[in-house]
Amino acid sequence: MTPARDDRDLTLEVSRALEACGVSQEALSGSRGVTTPVTGEQILSVEPHTVDEVRDVIDRAEHAFRVWREVPGPARGAVVKRWGELLSEHKSDLATIVRAEAGKIVSEAEGEVQEMIDICDFALGQSRMLYGKTMPSERAGHRLMETWHPLGVVGVITAFNFPVAPYAWNTALAIVAGDPVIWKPSEVGVLCALATDALLGRAAAECGAPEGLHHVVIGDREAAQPLLEDQRVALVSATGSTRMGRDVAPKVAARFGRYLLELGGNNAAVVTPSADLDLALKGIAFAAAGTAGQRCTTMRRLIVHESVADDLVERLRRAYETLAIGDPGDEGVLVGPLINRQSYESMQAALERSRMDGGTIVTGGQRVLADEFPDAYYVEPAIVRMPQQTEVVREETFAPILYVMTYQDLDEAISLHNEVPQGLSSAIFTSDQAEAEIFLSARGSDCGIANVNIGTSGAEIGGAFGGEKDTGGGRESGSDAWKIYMRRATNTINYSGKLPLAQGVEFI
């Protein structure tokens, strides 16, 4: 374990990074303190927006939409291209801010920024491929086709654990689709938002985009309410807990707005008797302990065939005990802090409930570095063997707890896998092609992401990201996720000189 750095040093690092990204000193003086999980101390401060200010932001975004929707798609793509270039230039700066606000280790912070760069590349190509279909008409001398048009103002609400990447997934595609974006970041991610927005602002200005194309709204849940309730916000994309999604969806649906939800995950991996255990060990360790268990795709359940369970658990125990825990900025550290005290207390409560349900803690669960930094919460990732899948296992605890259960046949494993409310990410480790195909089939994993011989974390931007059930059903990033940011029109063109009606209807 390594002690975290003095918060004064971290404040200096972050201040320099913010300045390099173009954030003004005026934006960093306000009534609300910004705390880092690395030390638990305040490093800077910002000023929250009022509800009236948020409504004014919506006014400006709506005005920008009326201009931006007329700009050709490839020209809109130029803004995203330039944004990606600036993100590349300032990758280290932005990663420094991510590390300070989210507590991520260096490689994970840089990896999150790389996701932003990658989605800019993807969206740039998509700006020339906003394709509609042409369909055969049943009427002679007619052509039937679909066209895609800009949707309107997009509201994006993001969570603390990925303070920049999901915003970029949405924004890069929304901008090429012709939509302005209003961003309400987590209260534990405002510095990341200011830096990211400053770079986008520079890209937009250099490319001649209209003012009002992008905005950041700083505040609590009250500040987000206009985005949910205002008819002019055509789409609300929200990343966070299932509880948050249950609040967002009805409010947006009540006005017939669109919503895109990427909510909780209770992700599992099935390990079969034929699995390469060395490979499985690496995939499980990162997915379960990486980011201190604070990814939506973190592996929280391990369903292992009884014939290999003891061997695999012992390998995992030895691997866990080698994980370096400490300041995420230090070389060699693999596990940084939990985001706050509440996360630590939730983890301890879940571990106690698992004990009461007959679980055995194999390793981990203890707080470390508490003497040096009483306001920061570093913990040892935990492995818990459970006799069955109890209620605490079915719930998502946003902390590094891996529950291990055994099975006898694949149908039992899939049943265990699917009987939780969430449906985000899943994996199977196997060398048997039939087992892999079954897991990927309709009778297999019920998640939006299903992997073979890799863990549950680490999705690439080329595929659509999201899940089913309590995960919300939304899809972001790659594939055809761009369609959610646009509206489809079906067009019939009659060049026959006559007016036959469809289905042979006769009227006049």
Side-chain angles (χ1 to χ4, degrees):
M1 290 127 190
T2 64
R5 299 173 188 176
D6 187 285
D7 63 282
R8 290 168 295 183
D9 295 336
L10 194 55
T11 298
L12 183 59
E13 281 188 82
V14 173
S15 297
R16 287 172 174 169
L18 287 163
E19 183 180 6
C21 290
V23 178
S24 68
Q25 286 300 311
E26 181 182 359
L28 301 174
S29 57
S31 60
R32 177 167 296 176
V34 177
T35 300
T36 173
V38 178
T39 65
E41 301 294 332
Q42 178 177 323
I43 51 174
L44 290 165
S45 63
V46 295
E47 187 62 36
H49 289 87
T50 66
V51 170
D52 286 341
E53 287 174 328
V54 178
R55 294 193 180 106
D56 180 62
V57 162
I58 296 172
D59 288 340
R60 285 181 277 150
E62 170 65 15
H63 179 75
F65 172 63
R66 298 182 182 279
V67 177
W68 193 239
R69 66 185 177 183
E70 299 290 337
V71 176
R76 299 194 295 251
V79 173
V80 173
K81 177 184 179 182
R82 182 58 183 143
W83 189 32
E85 291 170 349
L86 292 171
L87 289 169
S88 295
E89 292 174 23
H90 294 278
K91 181 176 179 179
S92 179
D93 296 319
L94 192 50
T96 294
I97 306 167
V98 170
R99 171 167 55 83
E101 277 200 293
K104 293 191 175 185
I105 63 174
V106 173
S107 66
E108 289 194 65
E110 291 182 346
E112 183 171 355
V113 180
Q114 187 61 49
E115 283 191 59
M116 303 174 76
I117 298 165
D118 291 345
I119 195 62
C120 286
D121 288 345
F122 183 93
L124 174 61
Q126 194 69 65
S127 69
R128 293 181 178 271
M129 297 185 295
L130 303 173
Y131 294 145
K133 296 178 180 178
T134 298
M135 293 77 75
S137 172
E138 66 186 60
R139 289 167 284 183
H142 287 63
R143 180 160 62 89
L144 191 62
M145 68 178 188
E146 64 181 25
T147 52
W148 291 87
H149 303 292
L151 180 65
V153 177
V154 173
V156 179
I157 301 171
T158 56
F160 79 86
N161 59 326
F162 273 81
V164 290
Y167 168 71
W169 297 346
N170 285 273
T171 301
L173 291 174
I175 286 176
V176 301
D179 306 330
V181 178
I182 302 171
W183 183 12
K184 164 59 179 71
S186 165
E187 294 173 73
V188 192
V190 294
L191 300 181
C192 292
L194 292 173
T196 299
D197 185 68
L199 294 174
L200 177 55
R202 181 176 161 188
E206 290 179 5
C207 296
E211 291 186 13
L213 184 63
H214 59 99
H215 302 268
V216 170
V217 170
I218 296 173
D220 54 18
R221 291 177 63 188
E222 184 180 359
Q225 294 310 303
L227 299 179
L228 308 184
E229 298 166 357
D230 196 304
Q231 190 76 31
R232 295 169 297 173
V233 181
L235 167 69
V236 175
S237 174
T239 302
S241 67
T242 298
R243 178 197 56 77
M244 181 271 286
R246 295 192 195 284
D247 181 54
V248 168
K251 291 180 179 178
V252 179
R255 59 177 177 82
F256 299 107
R258 292 192 198 181
Y259 54 81
L260 189 166
L261 302 178
E262 198 278 284
L263 308 176
N266 193 353
N267 316 291
V270 174
V271 182
T272 73
S274 67
D276 179 337
L277 295 188
D278 290 333
L279 182 70
L281 174 66
K282 295 177 181 178
I284 294 164
F286 170 68
T291 326
Q294 297 171 120
R295 288 182 176 228
C296 51
T297 55
T298 290
M299 190 184 298
R300 310 199 182 280
R301 299 177 296 136
L302 189 60
I303 303 166
V304 191
H305 192 271
E306 59 185 12
S307 66
V308 295
D310 290 344
D311 185 10
L312 180 57
V313 169
E314 176 58 20
R315 292 184 189 211
L316 281 168
R317 183 193 66 79
R318 293 197 300 265
Y320 266 46
E321 292 179 356
T322 67
L323 295 175
I325 305 168
D327 185 327
D330 287 347
E331 186 176 352
V333 168
L334 296 176
V335 180
L338 293 176
I339 195 67
N340 54 29
R341 178 178 179 177
Q342 182 181 351
S343 293
Y344 170 72
E345 291 177 346
S346 295
M347 178 180 182
Q348 298 309 305
L351 289 172
E352 180 57 29
R353 288 176 63 191
S354 69
R355 290 190 198 98
M356 294 175 64
D357 290 343
T360 302
I361 297 178
V362 176
T363 189
Q366 300 299 313
R367 185 180 177 190
V368 297
L369 300 176
D371 290 340
E372 294 90 341
F373 295 94
D375 297 318
Y377 292 87
Y378 294 83
V379 295
E380 297 173 342
I383 300 172
V384 184
R385 292 201 71 162
M386 297 295 293
Q388 57 187 335
Q389 189 156 258
T390 62
E391 192 60 32
V392 70
V393 181
R394 293 187 184 95
E395 297 171 358
E396 180 189 34
T397 300
F398 222 61
I401 303 175
L402 179 63
Y403 297 109
V404 182
M405 296 158 288
T406 60
Y407 75 93
Q408 293 181 328
D409 63 67
L410 188 59
D411 285 341
E412 179 190 3
I414 292 173
S415 178
L416 277 171
H417 178 278
N418 291 349
E419 71 173 16
V420 299
Q422 310 85 354
L424 179 53
S425 187
S426 60
I428 187 170
F429 289 91
T430 180
S431 296
D432 185 317
Q433 183 176 354
E435 289 177 333
E437 294 293 343
I438 290 169
F439 188 76
L440 300 180
S441 74
R443 63 180 264 207
S445 168
D446 62 359
C447 293
I449 300 169
N451 299 327
V452 176
N453 291 329
I454 64 169
T456 54
S457 289
E460 299 180 31
I461 59 92
F465 182 90
E468 302 302 323
K469 303 189 295 188
D470 279 6
T471 301
R475 293 298 186 275
E476 299 170 303
S477 189
S479 186
D480 63 349
W482 62 271
K483 293 180 178 179
I484 191 68
Y485 308 96
M486 305 196 79
R487 62 178 179 85
R488 179 187 344 220
T490 300
N491 312 127
T492 304
I493 301 168
N494 178 9
Y495 58 92
S496 68
K498 302 177 182 179
L499 196 63
L501 300 177
Q503 294 85 45
V505 173
E506 295 184 1
F507 191 68
I508 295 177

